[in-house]
Amino acid sequence: MKILAISGSLRKGSYNTALLTAMKELAPSKFEILIFDGLANIPPFNPDVDPSHEPSVMALKRLIAQSDGLFISSPEYARGVSGVLKNALDWLVSGEEFINMPVAIFNTSPRAFLALESLGEIIRTMSGNIIDDACITIPLLGSNLSAEDIIADHAMSKSIKSAINVFHSKSSNVN
């Protein structure tokens, strides 16, 4: 199963990116998780611009089209979805790559519920299929934990493995 993982944070020491990195390492061998690193290269969305003229947008569209599912981990900025993540999603609205795509949303701050609600609404509006039982919060805010630290924490790694397994079992009914 090919999964594209997108962190909504550009920060070098991002907890969201660390969580996705830990997920990649903890995933069973039947999973191929690719962490998308091109979010910063996507230009501001402009509906007057044809996406086919934007190489970074087309790269994201191709990766999504080649994937069996998406993992998205996003911070909450000013009580909403990060601008770079929302911008990337805006470029995908008119395409077919996202339709009925199984998606799991991850969170690293228990107080970021407004951004999660907003992200869920955006994904549902885009016809993505959120696998609710696979969506988890791993409390990392202020922890200074790296991906290796997350993997080493028994409770966190158990929760992550469970989310991945639930995603696999429930998303296979979607496609």
Side-chain angles (χ1 to χ4, degrees):
M1 180 171 218
K2 291 175 117 177
I3 303 294
L4 182 63
I6 302 172
S7 172
S9 176
L10 300 179
R11 191 171 67 83
K12 184 178 178 181
S14 166
Y15 295 126
N16 291 284
T17 304
L19 174 58
L20 293 175
T21 302
M23 293 184 114
K24 179 178 179 167
E25 295 301 317
L26 291 168
S29 60
K30 61 187 168 196
F31 274 83
E32 178 186 336
I33 298 177
L34 173 67
I35 299 176
F36 181 68
D37 63 359
L39 210 56
N41 300 325
I42 296 177
F45 175 69
N46 181 342
D48 290 334
V49 175
D50 183 340
S52 66
H53 296 133
E54 298 295 339
S56 58
V57 173
M58 294 311 295
L60 175 59
K61 287 170 132 328
R62 272 191 302 280
L63 288 171
I64 290 173
Q66 296 167 357
S67 297
D68 300 309
L70 291 174
F71 287 173
I72 300 175
S73 188
S74 179
E76 180 173 283
Y77 293 147
R79 304 189 125 202
V81 176
S82 72
V84 292
L85 178 59
K86 176 65 169 81
N87 180 59
L89 293 173
D90 286 343
W91 278 105
L92 300 173
V93 168
S94 64
E96 296 182 11
E97 305 83 8
F98 207 88
I99 296 173
N100 209 30
M101 176 64 69
V103 180
I105 301 171
F106 305 106
N107 179 19
T108 61
S109 173
R111 66 181 190 212
F113 58 92
L114 291 173
L116 290 178
E117 289 175 7
S118 178
L119 182 56
E121 185 62 29
I122 292 164
I123 291 169
R124 283 187 288 280
T125 299
M126 294 174 62
S127 300
N129 184 0
I130 299 172
I131 310 297
D132 290 313
D133 293 341
C135 300
I136 58 171
T137 295
I138 301 291
L140 297 175
L141 187 64
S143 69
N144 292 321
L145 294 179
S146 66
E148 294 78 18
D149 297 327
I150 296 166
I151 293 167
D153 184 285
H154 176 71
M156 287 184 197
S157 61
K158 182 178 177 183
S159 182
I160 291 167
K161 287 177 183 177
S162 176
I164 293 169
N165 288 329
V166 167
F167 184 83
H168 180 258
S169 67
K170 297 221 173 180
S171 67
S172 57
N173 297 330
V174 172
N175 289 334

